[in-house]
C-alpha cells in the first residue's frame, strides 16, 4: 500500500493535477492532504473540490482557516492577505464550511499528519530547525508524522538526539522517529520550482520525496488574469 501525502497546494491546479498523475503512475492507492488547499494561486474552488472528492484524510492549514473565516487576517503578510481576500470570494459557503470543519491533527493508520507543528498546531509556528522539531517531537506518539507549512521538504530524525536531513529517500529504522516535511505542491520555496509531495510505502517502510514538473506558464497566466499580485506568479518560476 502506497500513500501519496501532499499539501500546500495553494490553488495551483496545474501543479496539483501533475502530482495526482505522478502518484497514480507510482501506484499510490491512498491520499492524505496536509492543508493549505487554497490561497495564492487562481483555482481555489477547483482544488478544494478535487480534494473533497478524494474523500481522504485532510487537516486544516492557516490559509484554509483564513479563507473560511471573516477575520481581518492581520497576522498574515500583505501578499497572503490580498490573495485570501480574493479567495474568499471564489468559495461558496458550503466550501468555506467544509474548510472550517477540518481538524488540525489526525492519525492515519500508523502515522500522524498536521499542517504546521504538533506542539501548538493552531498557532501556525514554523518548524525550520532541529529545536523547533524537538518541540514537535514531544507531542508525536507515532513513529512518523508528516507536515508542511514551510514549503521546504525536510526530514527530521529523533533517537537520542534530533537531526535534520535532506534526503529524498528515507528508510525507516526501528527506534527512530521521523518528522517529515513533504514540501509544497503549488508554491515550493526551496529554489526548485517543481511540485513536491511524498510517497509513503507501507510494505517497504520507505518514504520518498517526489518532484514533479507541471504547466507553470498556465498557472502563472491565470494568476495574472485573476488580478492577483504579479509577484505570486513570478515566484513560482523561482521556487521561492
Ligand atoms: Zn502554505
Amino acid at each position: 500500500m502506497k500513500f501519496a501525502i501532499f499539501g500546500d497546494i495553494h490553488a495551483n491546479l496545474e501543479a496539483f493535477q501533475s502530482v495526482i498523475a505522478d502518484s497514480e503512475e507510482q501506484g499510490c492507492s491512498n491520499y492524505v492532504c496536509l492543508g493549505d488547499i487554497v490561497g495564492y494561486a487562481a483555482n481555489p474552488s477547483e482544488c478544494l473540490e478535487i480534494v473533497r472528492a478524494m474523500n481522504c484524510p485532510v487537516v486544516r492549514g492557516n490559509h484554509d482557516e483564513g479563507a473560511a473565516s471573516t477575520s481581518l487576517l492581520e497576522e498574515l503578510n500583505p501578499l497572503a492577505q490580498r490573495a485570501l481576500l480574493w479567495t474568499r470570494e471564489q468559495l461558496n459557503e458550503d466550501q468555506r464550511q467544509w474548510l472550517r470543519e477540518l481538524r488540525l491533527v489526525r492519525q492515519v493508520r500508523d502515522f500522524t499528519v498536521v499542517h504546521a507543528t504538533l506542539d501548538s498546531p493552531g498557532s501556525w509556528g514554523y518548524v525550520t530547525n532541529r529545536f523547533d522539531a524537538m518541540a514537535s517531537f514531544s507531542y508525536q506518539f507515532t513513529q512518523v508524522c508528516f507536515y508542511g507549512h514551510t514549503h521546504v521538504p525536510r526530514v527530521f530524525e529523533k533517537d537520542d538526539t534530533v537531526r535534520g536531513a535532506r534526503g529524498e529517500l528515507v528508510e525507516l529504522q526501528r527506534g527512530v522517529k521521523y518528522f517529515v516535511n513533504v514540501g509544497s505542491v503549488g508554491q515550493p520555496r526551496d529554489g526548485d520550482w517543481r511540485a513536491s509531495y511524498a510517497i509513503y510505502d507501507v510494505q517497504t517502510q520507505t518514504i520518498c520525496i517526489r518532484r514533479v514538473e507541471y504547466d507553470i506558464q498556465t498557472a502563472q497566466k491565470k494568476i495574472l488574469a485573476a488580478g492577483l499580485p504579479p509577484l505570486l506568479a513570478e515566484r513560482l518560476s523561482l521556487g521561492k
Side-chain angles (χ1 to χ4, degrees), residues 11 37-39 42-49 52 63-69 83-100:
I37 300 164
V38 304
N43 291 111
S45 173
E46 292 82 353
C47 291
L48 187 150
E49 290 306 331
R52 185 143 77 155
H63 286 252
D64 304 321
E65 185 167 283
S69 80
L84 272 184
L85 291 174
W86 180 87
T87 299
R88 278 179 186 169
E89 292 169 17
Q90 313 305 312
L91 301 177
N92 61 40
E93 181 48 29
D94 174 54
Q95 292 171 321
R96 288 193 294 263
Q97 183 65 26
W98 184 80
L99 289 174
R100 272 194 287 276

Side-chain angles (χ1 to χ4, degrees), residues 49-69:
E49 290 306 331
I50 292 172
V51 174
R52 185 143 77 155
M54 283 172 166
N55 205 11
C56 66
V58 184
V59 286
R60 186 167 74 233
N62 53 318
H63 286 252
D64 304 321
E65 185 167 283
S69 80

